[in-house]
Amino acid sequence: MLKKRRSGTSAPGGLTATLPMDGGRRGLNRRSFLQASGLATAGLSGLGGLSAGVVRKAEAAPIAEGTPKELKKSVCSHCSVGCTVVAEVQDGVWVQQEPGWDSPINQGTHCAKGASVRELVKGERRVKYPLKLVDGEWQRVSWDQAIEEIGDKLLAIRATYGPDSVFWLGSAKFTNEAAYLLRKFAAFWGTNNVDHQARICHSTTVAGVANTWGYGAMTNSYNDIQHSNCLVIIGGNPAEAHPVAMQHMLRAKERNRAPFIVIDPRFTRTAAHATDFVRLRPGTDIPVVWGILWHIFANGWEDKEYIAERVHGMDAIRAEVAKWTPDVVEEVSGVPGEQLLQVARQMAENRPATLIWCMGATQKTVGTANVRAFSILQLALGNIGVPGGGANIYRGHSNVQGATDMGLDVSTLPSYYGLSEAAWRHFSRVWDVPYETMLDRFASKELMEAKGIPTTRWFDAAVAEPEDLDQPHPIRGVVVMGHGGNTVTRMPDMLEGLAQLDLLVVVDPHPTTFAAIRQRRNNSYILPACTQYEMDGSRVASNRSVQWGQKVVEPIFESRDDYRTMYLLARKLGFADEMFKHIGVNDTQPVAEDILREINRGCISTGYTGISPERLKMHMKYQHTFDRITMQATEGPLKGEYFGLPWPCWGYPEWKHPGSPVLYDTSKHVMEGGGTFRARFGVERDGETLLAEGSFSKGSEIRDGYPEFTMAVLKKLGWDKELTPDERRVIEEIGGDDIDSVSWANDLSMGIIRVALRHGCVPYGNAKARSVAWNLPDPVPIHREPVYSPRPELVRQFPAIEDRREFRLPHLNRSVQMAMLEADVPGQFPFIFTSGRLVEYEGGGEETRSNPWLAELQQSMFVELNTHDAERLGVRDGEHVWVHGPEEGKVYVRALVTERVGRGVVFMPFHFSGHWQGEDLRDAYPPGTDPIVLGEPCNGITTYGYDPVTYMQETKVTLCRVEKA
């Protein structure tokens, strides 16, 4: 199945021999170069990532001369950078591709994955029609039959076990509209057991930053990093995971002579660009950050004025940081104090400094605490709310930010409204459905307002004993839309959960790990979904910019888009009419623009209200007018607006709010994109004010801190008289006998927001950021050793969090950690295991490993092993080894002997599946759909361990043993 790599020798005559001659001299434009070189489908930028041996003529059909051509713009379906893809379409066929040269984000560049996305719609290995598993064999069925049978089985589960016994798993590859629709679908079904990839990548980021300063999102942007005078990356490898983002980072490094500091257990491709590389023991992020802050406090380098005006609780941080002297930090983390002094000095002397992180920081049992520690470090230096500073959080999938914003999550409704009765009443008004009707769909009011079971634990809920489960019955059915099964930890346990299900439905362009298992024989279905390029809709880049992606081509084969699939299921289940009451449906095809307009109506709290489909389409049309660093349009009809209207974008679209490029930036008027820290946590704590002191955004008529705006606040200020009669009528309808309680976030008239903006105030208030988050298990972030720690003596000093119950299940970090010590696991499993990404593949990998352009580049799953460890084990580079985990898992992979990992540490990428403990499962895939490249999933050996705030899984630190095969 693999393509043999060619040698590095050039073809006779070389590439230049194929170039056209013009008037006796060599000359060509960009398009003619692409056509002549055969690289048109990959894009010019793909050349930079390919070796000479891999460059070869693309297998594209000839293009008929004279046939009308149409250019369409979409958004790359891989990471969260948000690169524009320009597709050339003839006769309904996507014939050529290039990067968006006008896009202020990717500026004419693509990575290897982006350069090859046209391959996704050719569909050679896609699911072509609905499939049903019958006695272990996949059989073709019609869409009508599949929907009927799936619907009947769902209704049977509901009748016997209740609505909470079905788990709905969505996708960060969804458009905003599809993510919103699935969350709404789950609400009409009657459950909060609905989730997506953010649970396993950035749920801890959302919890950590939202509980520090208000919103759970990246504060600045990739482009804004070019304003940074110091770049610090911890737990991220953008050179592989977000390659196009690196151009902005490297420009900052070179133009600003900025220190470029990488903190990571592994010397990554990103670290190769660093001015300083700090190697830490996996799982010791907080000691390292507190070690940096120790030097900052010791030398008086903190921003005292900023802290006094805009930060609450920093004295409690000082007390904790004082414990982390350089010798203690080195003992725990392995990082010398002098090295952290150098980092601290460079951050202090080169402000503004940006702090960048990704899943190396978040996928931990202390993920939320890690994020809070990073945020506090930036607050201490005054780096939040300023261009060039910020917490720049690199998301994984193309729309993980947007899908999270849309409430595709077990703990909230769209726009982070939570699950309280007030939240449900708000969305009942948005959906034009009585609250009592929504309540009747749930098993109880208690379950309606209770967080659901997350994707990291659904399989535990499938096998749980009644006393361990805070819902009436176990999970009996799972519907998976766009999510790989190899991305969760503890895969042996997951397979046991799959075996217990009465129904499994996979909706995806490619069969995923869920669909390629031997544990199931019947009652499994695959529905062919189309790709992002075969549907309209919006996506959100990490920087909160929203982009509209055009449908490039019609869905191929029998695939259908996510909107249509959900409509068909809703119709079968009996609630389509209510669910789509204000969303146009043409035959059975919902209108994407109408879904976004409903989002505009209801998602007030994040300021999605100003982001209409019409405005987004204009931004894509006029990309060339936006500045390449500030992302602000400098000319044309959009002059003054920021690309993609990064939320919050206040008010109605007609108000023309420009978007908010830098969150919490008080140097700008709120109508120019400025802001303050949110007043989410009250106005006072322990006798101290939580509101900002002497700090306010430009043009604010309230020249101090103030609470979030409600009708009561408007009345107190005398500004309620400025409401129009229609605005007051809507507020009275919402508030009833208590209109004073109506706030800016549930006022569907947006009158309260309009009046606040008119006076230069931010609707959500003006508060201090919190260093102490009293509602979290560890109000001040503290170091806790990983559940599977290699240091037993440190476990006793820094134990895992005590056992608790959350998300309807027991959380047993402390018990598992103590059992690990009693069994002497560190003695039997002497290596620390960590995982990460490759530039060639993404996520679970079925899509990218099915792409021949990418499959040729990386043909084998592997484990990186330090040269000294390999010599001790007698393992040579390229030989196969067994890697054993302490919870019965094992994988059979090739050894890559390298100095990139330190002694005692091994690394594996997480994009592989299709092998299981040495067995090739290629024949388990539906015929013709098996990915080109298969391999062992690294999560076959990952172990128990969850963040207590979000149930984020621990993928970056566990123990293992390596044996020569």
Side-chain angles (χ1 to χ4, degrees), residues 242-292:
H242 305 83
V244 174
M246 280 294 290
Q247 66 182 327
H248 302 293
M249 299 163 65
L250 294 177
R251 286 170 187 158
K253 175 190 173 187
E254 298 303 324
R255 292 174 182 173
N256 305 338
R257 298 185 180 275
F260 191 169
I261 301 160
V262 174
I263 304 173
D264 202 282
R266 177 173 172 257
F267 190 81
T268 62
R269 291 187 183 183
T270 303
H273 295 280
T275 57
D276 298 82
F277 172 61
V278 178
R279 194 193 293 275
L280 77 167
R281 174 168 68 90
T284 60
D285 309 78
I286 291 173
V288 168
V289 172
W290 284 169
I292 296 170

Side-chain angles (χ1 to χ4, degrees), residues 32-242:
S32 63
F33 174 83
L34 291 171
Q35 292 172 334
S37 65
L39 288 169
T41 56
L44 180 61
S45 63
L47 281 168
L50 302 177
S51 68
V54 177
V55 175
R56 63 194 190 282
K57 188 174 179 62
E59 298 176 0
I63 300 171
E65 292 297 328
T67 304
K69 301 175 183 178
E70 184 179 5
L71 295 182
K72 296 187 177 183
K73 288 183 178 180
S74 190
V75 184
C76 180
S77 55
H78 295 301
C79 82
S80 65
V81 174
C83 298
T84 296
V85 176
V86 180
E88 187 172 298
V89 180
Q90 291 181 293
D91 294 329
V93 178
W94 185 356
V95 294
Q96 294 196 92
Q97 172 198 339
E98 61 183 35
W101 297 82
D102 292 334
S103 166
I105 295 178
N106 59 308
Q107 302 176 14
T109 60
H110 270 336
C111 71
K113 293 187 291 292
S116 62
V117 294
R118 189 182 75 95
E119 198 71 31
L120 300 178
V121 303
K122 291 174 64 176
E124 296 174 3
R125 293 181 176 273
R126 278 174 51 173
V127 178
K128 298 174 177 62
Y129 36 73
L131 295 164
K132 174 184 179 180
L133 194 63
V134 180
D135 296 331
E137 298 293 330
W138 290 105
Q139 296 183 2
R140 180 176 183 174
V141 296
S142 69
W143 266 96
D144 287 345
Q145 179 183 346
I147 292 295
E148 281 296 310
E149 292 185 8
I150 291 167
D152 287 342
K153 294 177 188 299
L154 287 170
L155 291 170
I157 291 172
R158 182 187 179 95
T160 305
Y161 304 107
D164 288 302
S165 287
V166 177
F167 180 71
W168 304 88
L169 182 53
S171 179
K173 284 187 176 292
F174 275 169
T175 61
N176 283 330
E177 294 74 25
Y180 174 85
L181 211 56
L182 185 58
R183 183 58 184 94
K184 186 177 181 181
F185 187 109
F188 276 82
W189 172 259
T191 188
N192 294 324
N193 289 334
V194 57
D195 212 351
H196 81 289
Q197 281 94 340
R199 184 66 47 197
I200 57 174
C201 61
H202 276 292
S203 58
T204 47
T205 284
V206 173
V209 296
N211 276 290
T212 303
W213 46 58
Y215 281 130
M218 183 170 176
T219 59
N220 295 46
S221 71
Y222 300 107
N223 300 61
D224 180 72
I225 289 171
Q226 294 184 56
H227 290 129
S228 300
N229 291 324
C230 180
L231 292 81
V232 181
I233 305 172
I234 182 167
N237 181 16
E240 297 213 59
H242 305 83

Side-chain angles (χ1 to χ4, degrees), residues 298-577:
N299 289 280
W301 291 334
E302 71 274 22
D303 190 328
K304 299 176 181 62
E305 181 180 359
Y306 182 98
I307 292 170
E309 292 179 347
R310 302 193 68 187
V311 183
H312 168 77
M314 192 61 79
D315 286 344
I317 301 300
R318 290 178 185 274
E320 177 64 23
V321 167
K323 304 173 187 176
W324 292 96
T325 58
D327 57 328
V328 174
V329 173
E330 182 170 5
E331 167 61 21
V332 173
S333 71
V335 181
E338 281 298 314
Q339 194 171 25
L340 293 186
L341 173 60
Q342 169 74 353
V343 173
R345 178 180 289 113
Q346 292 192 110
M347 292 187 75
E349 293 178 355
N350 297 279
R351 299 184 222 195
T354 184
L355 184 59
I356 299 162
W357 71 82
C358 196
M359 289 181 284
T362 62
Q363 292 182 329
K364 303 277 180 64
T365 55
V366 290
T368 300
N370 279 348
V371 168
R372 294 242 319 117
F374 301 165
S375 303
I376 291 164
L377 172 61
Q378 285 293 75
L379 288 173
L381 291 168
N383 281 327
I384 300 298
V386 297
N392 284 315
I393 304 147
Y394 287 9
R395 300 282 181 142
H397 290 272
S398 57
N399 198 35
V400 70
Q401 180 66 59
T404 306
D405 297 339
M406 294 303 104
L408 195 50
D409 183 281
V410 298
S411 63
T412 185
L413 286 162
S415 204
Y416 310 99
Y417 276 82
L419 296 171
S420 67
E421 180 178 326
W424 280 106
R425 287 190 179 276
H426 171 70
F427 274 98
S428 295
R429 287 189 289 269
V430 172
W431 297 335
D432 193 15
V433 176
Y435 165 77
E436 290 74 20
T437 299
M438 296 305 301
L439 177 59
D440 288 344
R441 298 184 184 279
F442 285 78
S444 66
K445 187 176 188 296
E446 180 183 14
L447 286 168
M448 186 184 194
E449 297 174 12
K451 290 182 286 190
I453 295 165
T455 185
T456 50
R457 301 290 306 274
W458 71 262
F459 48 90
D460 287 330
V463 299
E465 296 296 330
E467 62 270 17
D468 291 332
L469 190 61
D470 296 335
Q471 67 177 40
H473 297 282
I475 297 292
R476 303 306 295 264
V478 172
V479 179
V480 185
M481 302 184 73
H483 200 299
N486 56 324
T487 56
V488 296
T489 54
R490 302 170 52 214
M491 280 189 69
D493 295 318
M494 185 199 75
L495 295 180
E496 289 184 16
L498 280 173
Q500 298 300 313
L501 298 179
D502 295 340
L503 175 67
L504 173 66
V505 181
V506 175
V507 187
D508 206 276
H510 293 267
T512 66
T513 304
F514 284 114
I517 58 172
R518 301 200 192 283
Q519 281 74 10
R520 296 189 62 79
R521 303 283 296 169
N522 294 290
N523 297 319
S524 295
Y525 295 82
I526 306 177
L527 300 180
C530 67
T531 67
Q532 286 189 24
Y533 305 104
E534 297 157 275
M535 61 190 295
D536 291 310
S538 62
R539 294 94 178 172
V540 187
S542 262
N543 68 302
R544 294 166 285 107
S545 284
V546 189
Q547 299 182 76
W548 187 266
Q550 287 180 282
K551 180 195 287 187
V552 175
V553 292
E554 293 297 322
I556 64 171
F557 306 118
E558 293 183 25
S559 66
R560 294 181 176 177
D561 67 40
D562 304 313
Y563 316 136
R564 190 177 181 192
T565 299
M566 281 186 262
Y567 175 80
L568 293 171
L569 275 173
R571 187 176 66 176
K572 168 63 180 176
L573 298 173
F575 49 77
D577 290 346

